[in-house]
Amino acid sequence: DTVLRGREAQEVVLDNTSTYRYREGDPDEPSVIREITTGLVIRISGAPSSDGLLEVAMTVDLSKRGVDTSGLGNPPPTSSRRFSSIIRIRPSEVTQVADLVLEERSSSSQGLSLTGSQDRTRETSRLRIYLLPYVIYGNEDDLPPLPDREQMFMELVHGS
């Protein structure tokens, strides 16, 4: 789990990305270096509302770099997903805010059948995002100790 702290209306960002650089152009001539950045970026901002709930704006960008199978040095294919929403949640309660299921199909050159067709492999990934927000009035020491928050999270995730 990851703890992000922010003040009212301040955006907090979790950025877990990788950058792939490749050269575009003829190797014998001056060329341009391009970049492809992939990974996970989560942006969250929120503020308490008059009814005691928190209004949270959240954007999740998830991208993946594929493999250049052409053998020509082409830039690899990429795929990306974006989730963006404004939600209202209760402070001090764990809430699942996203459940992204990514399914990718790719052909496998190792999986040739007797008829000569290629087998298609399927890879499924799941990303679940939970928020456990707290509103702190005054001192940050008012926050419950980490083991209590961790226990609350584990009970939600594992149904204990």
Side-chain angles (χ1 to χ4, degrees):
D1 65 355
T2 301
V3 176
L4 301 174
R5 295 181 183 205
R7 301 210 177 272
E8 181 177 346
Q10 173 191 15
E11 182 179 70
V12 292
V13 178
L14 171 70
D15 188 334
N16 183 9
T17 58
S18 300
T19 301
Y20 170 77
R21 292 177 180 82
Y22 65 96
R23 190 175 303 275
E24 193 175 79
D26 188 355
D28 298 332
E29 297 179 14
S31 56
V32 176
I33 295 177
R34 304 258 188 222
E35 294 182 346
I36 298 173
T37 301
T38 57
L40 174 67
V41 178
I42 301 175
R43 298 176 184 281
I44 302 171
S45 65
S49 62
S50 60
D51 60 1
L53 296 177
L54 296 173
E55 190 166 293
V56 178
M58 181 173 172
T59 301
V60 178
D61 289 301
L62 181 63
S63 58
K64 183 177 179 182
R65 177 175 57 94
V67 177
D68 172 24
T69 57
S70 71
L72 302 174
N74 292 328
T78 59
S79 62
S80 65
R81 307 287 187 273
R82 172 173 271 196
F83 164 82
S84 186
S85 185
I86 296 176
I87 55 176
R88 294 171 52 84
I89 56 180
R90 293 195 187 290
S92 306
E93 289 185 9
V94 178
T95 304
Q96 181 178 337
V97 294
D99 188 3
L100 305 173
V101 178
L102 306 171
E103 187 174 291
E104 294 184 25
R105 288 196 167 97
S106 61
S107 59
S108 170
S109 59
Q110 300 169 354
L112 291 177
S113 68
L114 293 175
T115 60
S117 65
Q118 289 186 333
D119 288 343
R120 307 279 288 172
T121 59
R122 182 172 58 184
E123 179 181 316
T124 302
S125 303
R126 174 174 242 149
L127 172 65
R128 288 185 178 157
I129 299 174
Y130 297 87
L131 286 182
L132 176 54
Y134 283 93
V135 177
I136 303 170
Y137 299 99
N139 192 342
E140 223 173 274
D141 294 336
D142 296 337
L143 200 61
L146 188 56
D148 293 345
R149 292 185 306 198
E150 186 174 307
Q151 181 63 31
M152 289 172 63
F153 177 77
M154 290 304 177
E155 286 175 7
L156 175 76
V157 173
H158 299 293
S160 300

